[in-house]
Amino acid sequence: MSESARLLDLEQRLRHAEHRKVGFPGWSNPFPPELLPFLSHELNNYGDVHQDPVFAWHTKDLERELVSFLAALFGAGPDGWGYVTSGGAEGVMYGLWRARTLLPKARLYLSASAHPSITRVAGLLQLEAVTVPVTRSGAMDPVALEHLLQQAPGASAIVLATIGTTLTEAVDDVPHIRRALDRAGVADHYIHADAAFAGLPLALASRTPAALPFGVHERGVDSLSISGHKFLGAPFPCGVVISPSAPPDEIENLAGSLCGAGDLVGSSRSGHAALLLWFHVRRLGLDGLRAQATSGREVAQLALTQLRAIGWDAWRSHPQALTVAFPTPPPAVLEQWPMPAVGGISHIVCTPGVTPERIHRFVAAMAAATRTREEAPCSQPAP
């Protein structure tokens, strides 16, 4: 098969799959045509966002604007710092790396619903990980956390707060986590928020950055990471990490490098990711992003209502959730509508591009499969 035929086959496969894309939190809108010319250029945002490389093929000026916008949204203050990452896992790795540098003997506490990549990150950083049970909603149980903290009196602690669990979008309660740390007498602690998907929609719904429970401020968390390919418009994995200030010298190589900028977790970073996220934020602004989040919640409520109307149980973990969870559909539905199936639970995620029409077709498929299953003749025992 020729290259052209292979590409045509790939495009047809993607177009066909796009119409049934509801089960995973990914972007589902066209690529901005204004940015197509830049795909012909290398864009390498090497190293620290505040140090331009010696070459011109980068977008660090736009990356700095993006970071400033997000730092303000999450309450990081005028000294807020961050950078565009390769995805949520790198953002978590940076946050935990920073925590381990400040608290080298600390244990890491994470919920049983935390993303599976966190365990791998903890291993790479040689952090002892302690799994905390969750409540019925899927959020970290602060009572269980306090009990586990009390088992290591006098020790420092790093807590990974999940802001939107993978399956149900449950949100760990940061104020309760902080109270558990206080009651357990943990004076030295660090909290990183893995806010990959739910962080931005929830921040946009907050009255003020200071009122955001998991904001990057003195009553919230010490660092936070989000994904860029779920709510912010990137068609490829990327993310952003935010902290209240530049990293300690032990983390960042401030002496510079061959390219003229200090290294971080990685050296070369995608300037295209920074460009695309900057463009999306700049084009929509706060009002447009809030409207996008509101639309997602409305579509989620529509899905919830329609699934219940056909007799299929469904729920949202909180009123702002864009995720609708339900018992796993019949195999005939899963063959056409890919989605997770974990412990008998599945979900749809109403990211931008998941339209009411797409929800109608999914629910219609669920209704048809349910009717087929109910109408199937029961097997009779042999006489």
Side-chain angles (χ1 to χ4, degrees):
M1 186 183 292
S2 68
E3 293 87 349
S4 297
R6 289 289 298 275
L7 291 175
L8 179 60
D9 182 65
L10 173 60
E11 183 181 10
Q12 290 176 341
R13 171 164 62 87
L14 294 176
R15 287 183 180 275
H16 177 75
E18 192 70 34
H19 297 295
R20 293 184 172 88
K21 189 178 179 182
V22 297
F24 297 91
W27 189 252
S28 191
N29 273 331
F31 190 85
E34 298 93 330
L35 301 186
L36 288 174
F38 298 97
L39 296 179
S40 297
H41 296 274
E42 176 191 356
L43 297 176
N44 186 344
N45 285 14
Y46 188 100
D48 188 294
V49 66
H50 289 294
Q51 297 174 324
D52 287 350
V54 295
F55 48 78
W57 44 92
H58 67 87
T59 59
K60 282 196 172 181
D61 51 338
L62 307 183
E63 184 179 11
R64 287 189 285 269
E65 288 186 29
L66 171 69
V67 167
S68 294
F69 175 88
L70 293 174
L73 181 64
F74 287 110
D79 296 325
W81 180 93
Y83 71 96
V84 173
T85 66
S86 61
E90 183 187 337
V92 171
M93 176 176 282
Y94 171 81
L96 298 185
W97 182 23
R98 180 171 178 142
R100 191 199 64 179
T101 301
L102 297 172
L103 302 172
K105 297 182 179 180
R107 290 177 174 177
L108 169 64
Y109 296 83
L110 68 158
S111 87
S113 297
H115 195 278
S117 66
I118 311 301
T119 302
R120 295 192 293 272
V121 168
L124 289 169
L125 294 174
Q126 296 184 322
L127 286 167
E128 179 185 354
V130 179
T131 301
V132 183
V134 296
T135 63
R136 289 184 62 186
S137 71
M140 180 184 288
D141 185 341
V143 175
L145 173 63
E146 181 181 349
H147 176 70
L148 290 168
L149 291 168
Q150 289 171 341
Q151 293 179 15
S156 53
I158 302 168
V159 181
L160 190 287
T162 302
I163 310 301
T165 58
T166 306
L167 191 60
T168 65
E169 203 179 322
V171 175
D172 291 351
D173 192 319
V174 171
H176 283 170
I177 289 173
R178 295 186 70 88
R179 283 195 284 273
L181 288 163
D182 291 341
R183 285 195 292 262
V186 181
D188 297 324
H189 54 75
Y190 187 107
I191 304 174
H192 178 83
D194 176 12
F197 173 53
L200 263 172
L202 289 174
L204 292 163
S206 178
R207 291 180 290 105
T208 65
L212 188 63
F214 58 88
V216 186
H217 48 69
E218 60 181 9
R219 297 178 307 282
V221 302
D222 299 288
S223 56
L224 173 146
S225 53
I226 62 170
S227 293
H229 54 286
K230 296 173 181 176
F231 184 80
L232 267 187
F236 44 79
C238 60
V240 183
V241 64
I242 299 292
S243 62
S245 60
D249 291 351
E250 295 89 343
I251 290 181
E252 185 176 17
N253 176 13
L254 295 174
S257 67
L258 291 174
C259 295
D263 285 339
L264 291 166
V265 172
S267 298
S268 294
R269 298 185 296 102
S270 172
H272 291 93
L275 169 65
L276 199 150
L277 298 181
W278 169 86
F279 178 80
H280 189 66
V281 165
R282 184 68 176 258
R283 178 179 58 179
L284 289 179
L286 271 175
D287 289 341
L289 289 168
R290 286 188 177 116
Q292 185 170 279
T294 298
S295 176
R297 287 190 288 270
E298 291 173 349
V299 173
Q301 182 58 42
L302 172 69
L304 180 74
T305 301
Q306 291 197 352
L307 284 168
R308 288 178 174 176
I310 65 169
W312 202 266
D313 188 25
W315 64 93
R316 295 160 73 194
S317 63
H318 55 87
Q320 305 291 341
L322 306 187
T323 300
V324 180
F326 42 80
T328 296
V333 175
L334 296 180
E335 289 174 4
Q336 297 296 319
W337 297 85
M339 62 185 57
V342 180
I345 302 298
S346 296
H347 70 205
I348 56 175
V349 189
C350 300
T351 47
V354 176
T355 62
E357 186 273 337
R358 197 175 295 184
I359 296 300
H360 295 328
R361 288 190 291 107
F362 169 70
V363 175
M366 288 282 289
T370 303
R371 285 196 301 271
T372 300
R373 189 172 62 176
E374 291 175 348
E375 294 169 0
C378 297
S379 59
Q380 298 293 324

